[in-house]
Amino acid sequence: MAATRQRKPNASKEELLGYYRDMLLIRRFEEKAGQLYGMGLIGGFCHLYIGQEAVVVGVEAAAKEGDQRITTYRDHGHMLACGMDPDGVMAELTGREGGYSRGKGGSMHMFSKEKEFYGGHGIVGANVPLGAGLAFANQYRGNDNVACTYFGDGAANQGQVYETFNMASLWKLPVIFIIENNQYAMGTSLKRGSSTPALYTRGEAFGIPGEAVDGMDVLAVRDAAKKAVAHCREGKGPYILEMNTYRYRGHSMSDPAKYRTREEVQKMRETRDPIEHVRELLTLGGDATDEELKAIDKEVRDRVNKSAEFAQASPEPDLSELWTDVYA
Amino acid sequence: MTIQILMPALSPTMEEGTLAKWNVKEGDKVSSGDVIAEIETDKATMEFEAVDEGVIGKILIEEGTEGVKVNTPIAVLLEEGENASDAENAAEAAPKAEPKSEAEPEPNSAPKAAAEPKAPEPATLDPDWPADAPMKKMTVREALRSAMAEEMRADGDVFVMGEEVAEYEGAYKITQGLLDEFGGKRVIDTPITEHGFAGLAVGAAFAGLRPVVEFMTFNFAMQAIDQIINSAAKTLYMSGGQMGCPIVFRGPNGAAARVGAQHSQDYAAWYAQIPGLKVVQPYSAADAKGLLKSAIRDPNPVVFLENEIMYGKSFDVPDIEDLTIPIGKARIWREGSDVTLVSFGIGMTYALEAADKLAEDGISAEVIDLRSIRPMDTATVVRSVMKTNRCVTVEEGWPVCSIGSEISAVLMREAFDYLDAPVLSCTGKDVPMPYAANLERHALVTAQEVIEAAKSVCYR
Ligand SMILES: Cc1ncc(C[n+]2csc(CCOP(=O)(O)OP(=O)(O)O)c2C)c(N)n1
Ligand SMILES: [Mg+2]
């Protein structure tokens, strides 16, 4: 992947501190989720976002009020980044009453109408036409909002993605297709699953502009997202951003990870970590003191611990919940 | 503070595992992400990473130990400034009890489909409109079209989308005239892309619009069935009630004529199984109109099954301002005392024809049109069977796990003591639809079969 990481930030100290905090919150939250999973408090599938934090934090930096977002089962980071309450997210992971879906959705299925977060979808590829539908609604209503639609490199091989590209381009829908290319679909590396590795070109046949972005660099992500968002708001139709990124953890919690080497992961962590990158930008430039960063670290850790406590203290849903919300 | 490292659960099903190997020893410094041990689960050997930073104070479980229960302390981690005696203390501290909930009583062992809205009042012979309403002859096609047009006039969020619905005016001319009246923004021709446009419409419904999705026929909706079920039907539940999906999926369902196996399937039983969906299959033009209007207004996803052969059939339709028929209410077409015939959609043609013929033979058949398949007005069926003590179901779909099977089960459960004969189901034959005219005739259910079944349950 193109290593174009920025050394001289085109961002204010406040912005950088904000990105740092947001990414760190995701990182620490996910680590805690992994821990709770290990303790048997979280069940089923649980897909962690560790390593990919810059993607969602960078895109969110380009969004405005009313823009929607929709993603896959690897969704905790997206929820935190759009301002959903860590307590509610963690309590959904533990399947408790205080969760966003009152314990009925779980890790892969959470929603917030208030934050325009449309899930959390467990079927690979299915959220892509749904995202275009959100964009369709924006166009129908004549507003200038944009639907940020995230999916993986593996999902990029699903047929419905191309059905959606065609319609989105045909109807000039304000949707950004954000391909989070973390190099693997479960155990299938990009080159074992994709005939052509440049996923950002996948819209060419439909006339959709695409761009490859260093997804480990929050500023590169933000700048690319700003460009894409502007394109959509001007009514020029969809845009594809291929975010080259990397997940440090297994596909889900039960992944023995035999498809890649320890060294590969270690190298990524050491040389490309998105949070370390911003930390460097903040400290090397001399803008932020160690104390400032430590204070953020502590604030984030406390926030995450509080969410873990909430998620364990919140009761399991009442059995009557079994029968509610089947019909409106 | 010392931290106990616990035996982790590394898969959804793991309860215990083997601590195969320690990659660290006492005194080693570890940071978050370092592999500290290898653990064999019920599925695979997994690397176990440190979550916290610190120094390994004490190893509590030797490598090679089998059957280590999840959540057993396996090591003690010291934070900055702590020493080995802290580790000893921590090791002795009782392991945290796991807050796993014990087995819960089954909520209710009786089969239950009660998560549904309460059924409307049971059906009577009275129509769903004022008795003195003026009537007008109308085809099912015109009825469906006027239902959509009326709802589109009433609510700007309603739009129609599908293949050939706009400029071509519908493959079966159901949307004729809609493009002229409502324009291209609200009557939308899609590419041939069922999975894609069904998903797109569901997304628009999540955002609060009210799409009416036309499938050229329901055979092609198999391409889209994931979006109908996994996205449209389940999201309200998975979101704890936040995300509604007010959408109608409509189009012709079941056999047309001589179009072969891939174009002739009846999906009523498929969709009827899905909690979160409503499923409607009207027979008459009045019901087609009133039910489609109700479906468009319904806050839930509705699968609206039509029939190509019925499109051109004419019925009396009440000529009133706003005809709606409640979803979930059956209609009694004909009162009788000897046997109850239950059907829906085009099956009603055979049921009513059979009832006429049976009357000539002195058998009085009560004919019930379910109209809605889910929720199903079983109360009306049960009440009728308590009177007639016999029941025959009629449908075009296949026999295995059919709507007839469901009714049969309901009657067994709720009217067992009233039954004087087994419930018989008249269905399409258990084969793909053949093309040859004679074979197709035999594959479909016939009025004659219904007559024979009715006579058989009457022991005549
Ligand atoms: C339709 C479908 N097929 C298969 C799966 C099982 N599955 C879940 S995630 C996944 C890999 C997806 O990889 P990618 O799109 O790259 O996303 P990532 O997990 O890397 O974020 C598979 C095969 C599924 N959930 N849905
Ligand atoms: Mg991937």
Side-chain angles (χ1 to χ4, degrees):
Chain A
M1 86 183 55
T4 55
R5 332 177 38 128
Q6 308 190 16
R7 289 292 162 199
K8 265 208 240 109
N10 57 345
S12 70
K13 179 181 169 189
E14 276 59 48
E15 285 173 322
L16 287 174
L17 285 173
Y19 305 151
Y20 179 74
R21 179 185 295 108
D22 291 350
M23 290 195 289
L24 200 64
L25 177 66
I26 297 172
R27 173 80 47 103
R28 296 284 171 261
F29 182 96
E30 295 290 64
E31 287 168 355
K32 183 58 81 179
Q35 235 171 354
L36 297 187
Y37 192 96
M39 292 163 68
L41 288 164
I42 296 172
F45 292 129
C46 182
H47 310 83
L48 303 183
Y49 197 63
I50 295 176
Q52 301 180 214
E53 297 91 344
V55 175
V56 77
V57 170
V59 172
E60 283 296 338
K64 72 166 189 181
E65 186 79 20
D67 289 344
Q68 304 113 321
R69 62 275 301 153
I70 186 167
T71 186
T72 69
Y73 45 84
R74 197 178 300 285
D75 55 356
H76 313 161
H78 303 72
M79 292 187 273
L80 297 176
C82 73
M84 287 169 66
D85 182 356
D87 291 0
V89 179
M90 197 67 97
E92 189 60 37
L93 299 186
T94 52
R96 305 302 175 91
E97 189 184 273
Y100 266 97
S101 300
R102 294 204 302 285
K104 303 204 295 193
S107 163
M108 301 189 284
H109 312 293
M110 266 183 267
F111 306 81
S112 168
K113 262 249 141 102
E114 188 205 340
K115 299 290 180 191
E116 301 284 349
F117 179 74
Y118 288 83
H121 295 271
I123 304 297
V124 170
N127 62 306
V128 180
L130 295 173
L134 300 172
F136 177 93
N138 295 338
Q139 187 183 66
Y140 193 91
R141 294 186 167 125
N143 64 40
D144 71 347
N145 282 122
V146 172
C148 298
T149 302
Y150 297 84
F151 54 101
D153 48 292
N157 294 320
Q158 281 284 31
Q160 58 182 320
V161 170
Y162 298 93
E163 299 190 26
T164 305
F165 282 2
N166 184 44
M167 286 184 288
S169 180
L170 185 67
W171 297 333
K172 300 247 171 301
L173 300 181
V175 52
I176 308 179
F177 298 110
I178 301 153
I179 307 178
E180 297 200 54
N181 179 3
N182 59 11
Q183 320 300 327
Y184 294 93
M186 280 184 78
T188 305
S189 64
L190 186 68
K191 67 173 179 296
R192 291 203 307 120
S194 292
S195 57
T196 50
L199 300 178
Y200 69 93
T201 65
R202 290 279 177 101
E204 267 175 15
F206 306 96
I208 306 177
E211 205 173 307
V213 182
D214 180 353
M216 304 299 266
D217 177 346
V218 70
L219 299 180
V221 171
R222 181 202 60 185
D223 294 346
K226 278 187 172 165
K227 199 165 128 193
V229 162
H231 178 92
C232 286
R233 292 210 210 288
E234 284 162 22
K236 293 181 182 162
Y239 206 97
I240 294 173
L241 294 175
E242 177 188 353
M243 301 292 183
N244 284 296
T245 179
Y246 199 79
R247 72 168 151 72
Y248 296 172
R249 294 298 187 91
H251 167 71
S252 67
M253 298 308 296
S254 46
D255 176 3
K258 292 297 173 219
Y259 48 84
R260 62 182 184 186
T261 63
R262 209 49 241 154
E263 290 68 44
E264 179 184 309
V265 182
Q266 213 43 45
K267 189 162 160 240
M268 274 292 175
R269 287 189 131 149
E270 278 160 17
T271 62
R272 316 266 303 135
D273 189 74
I275 299 178
E276 274 310 307
H277 173 225
V278 174
R279 186 181 246 281
E280 276 167 27
L281 291 178
L282 276 163
T283 49
L284 293 184
D287 273 356
T289 63
D290 239 22
E291 279 64 51
E292 278 177 292
L293 296 180
K294 275 223 169 96
I296 292 177
D297 292 359
K298 176 158 174 7
E299 171 205 323
V300 164
R301 220 178 259 282
D302 290 348
R303 186 68 197 86
V304 167
N305 285 339
K306 179 179 163 286
S307 76
E309 278 158 28
F310 177 80
Q312 294 173 72
S314 177
E316 291 189 307
D318 190 86
L319 281 187
S320 64
E321 282 289 343
L322 182 61
W323 300 103
T324 60
D325 305 322
V326 180
Y327 291 96
Chain B
M1 204 188 73
T2 59
I3 297 169
Q4 285 193 340
I5 300 176
L6 305 178
M7 181 71 169
L10 294 170
S11 83
T13 46
M14 173 174 169
E15 285 168 7
E16 58 176 44
T18 299
L19 209 170
K21 179 158 178 266
W22 277 111
N23 297 21
V24 292
K25 52 185 191 313
E26 290 177 8
D28 282 359
K29 198 166 177 298
V30 296
S31 49
S32 152
D34 289 353
V35 176
I36 56 172
E38 286 173 20
I39 288 169
E40 283 170 23
T41 73
D42 49 347
K43 286 188 177 153
T45 301
M46 307 268 298
E47 292 176 336
F48 177 37
E49 296 176 0
V51 181
D52 302 285
E53 283 184 358
V55 173
I56 300 288
K58 190 161 179 56
I59 283 177
L60 304 173
I61 304 274
E62 288 309 311
E63 67 180 30
T65 311
E66 289 175 18
V68 184
K69 293 260 180 296
V70 165
N71 275 341
T72 311
I74 55 174
V76 177
L77 192 69
L78 302 174
E79 288 189 344
E80 257 175 80
E82 291 173 334
N83 61 37
S85 70
D86 295 317
E88 299 294 331
N89 297 339
E92 278 158 32
K96 269 184 266 163
E98 198 195 336
K100 261 266 184 292
S101 58
E102 63 266 35
E104 279 158 9
E106 279 291 298
N108 186 349
S109 54
K112 187 167 170 185
E116 306 197 343
K118 264 273 150 282
E121 287 296 292
T124 61
L125 270 179
D126 299 333
D128 300 280
W129 46 83
D132 58 354
M135 301 302 272
K136 191 174 148 190
K137 274 256 181 282
M138 208 186 236
T139 61
V140 171
R141 173 179 287 112
E142 289 160 345
L144 292 168
R145 182 187 307 143
S146 67
M148 282 190 284
E150 287 177 18
E151 292 308 298
M152 289 177 80
R153 278 173 216 135
D155 182 350
D157 284 344
V158 178
F159 68 93
V160 179
M161 156 176 277
E163 291 159 20
E164 309 291 2
V165 297
E167 299 201 357
Y168 194 87
E169 301 195 290
Y172 299 98
K173 297 288 173 277
I174 308 301
T175 52
Q176 199 163 42
L178 296 185
L179 177 63
D180 273 353
E181 181 173 352
F182 300 103
K185 180 189 163 194
R186 298 180 66 193
V187 185
I188 300 155
D189 277 328
T190 65
I192 307 164
T193 187
E194 284 81 5
H195 200 180
F197 71 69
L200 191 148
V202 171
F206 286 165
L209 299 182
R210 296 187 162 264
V212 177
V213 173
E214 175 174 309
F215 291 114
M216 195 177 278
T217 84
F218 262 91
N219 301 285
F220 316 137
M222 273 204 281
Q223 300 262 344
I225 202 162
D226 174 66
Q227 291 290 0
I228 298 172
I229 294 174
N230 270 321
S231 301
K234 296 181 185 172
T235 301
L236 183 74
Y237 193 82
M238 295 193 301
S239 66
Q242 286 185 75
M243 303 280 305
C245 188
I247 191 169
V248 177
F249 300 103
R250 52 155 290 273
N253 167 63
R258 308 290 309 281
V259 289
Q262 292 181 334
H263 285 68
S264 304
Q265 189 170 336
D266 176 0
Y267 290 89
W270 279 40
Y271 291 110
Q273 225 224 345
I274 310 302
L277 285 185
K278 292 187 177 182
V279 184
V280 170
Q281 185 159 356
Y283 161 64
S284 76
D287 288 344
K289 178 168 183 184
L291 282 166
L292 184 52
K293 283 166 65 79
S294 296
I296 293 170
R297 290 180 203 181
D298 201 283
N300 298 288
V302 181
V303 171
F304 194 93
L305 303 169
E306 303 161 8
N307 186 288
E308 187 191 333
I309 292 167
M310 296 302 299
Y311 282 151
K313 297 271 192 296
S314 289
F315 292 83
D316 282 338
V317 177
D319 193 12
I320 56 175
E321 168 105 359
D322 187 22
L323 173 69
T324 58
I325 308 278
I327 294 176
K329 185 180 174 193
R331 173 170 176 191
I332 301 173
W333 272 79
R334 181 180 174 131
E335 232 172 357
S337 53
D338 295 332
V339 58
T340 302
L341 306 182
V342 185
S343 190
F344 54 94
I346 193 171
M348 283 297 294
T349 323
Y350 312 113
L352 288 170
E353 188 186 332
D356 280 344
K357 299 251 170 68
L358 287 165
E360 290 167 16
D361 290 339
I363 295 176
S364 157
E366 178 145 305
V367 183
I368 296 174
D369 178 0
L370 289 174
R371 303 194 289 194
S372 295
I373 315 296
R374 183 185 184 102
M376 194 188 285
D377 184 0
T378 52
T380 293
V381 178
V382 168
R383 221 178 20 187
S384 171
V385 171
M386 285 177 172
K387 177 176 72 175
T388 63
N389 312 113
R390 296 167 164 87
C391 183
V392 171
T393 66
V394 187
E395 70 198 288
E396 267 203 352
W398 285 314
V400 180
C401 300
S402 63
I403 301 302
S405 315
E406 172 66 17
I407 290 170
S408 188
V410 168
L411 290 174
M412 180 108 94
R413 200 161 64 227
E414 294 177 25
F416 186 75
D417 291 334
Y418 294 86
L419 286 172
D420 285 348
V423 178
L424 294 186
S425 294
C426 297
T427 66
K429 307 305 176 293
D430 203 13
V431 295
M433 186 63 71
Y435 167 70
N438 63 332
L439 296 181
E440 185 182 63
R441 252 191 325 273
H442 274 79
L444 291 164
V445 64
T446 63
Q448 190 52 38
E449 287 164 350
V450 180
I451 292 165
E452 281 159 22
K455 285 186 172 167
S456 141
V457 298
C458 292
Y459 303 111
R460 295 266 293 264

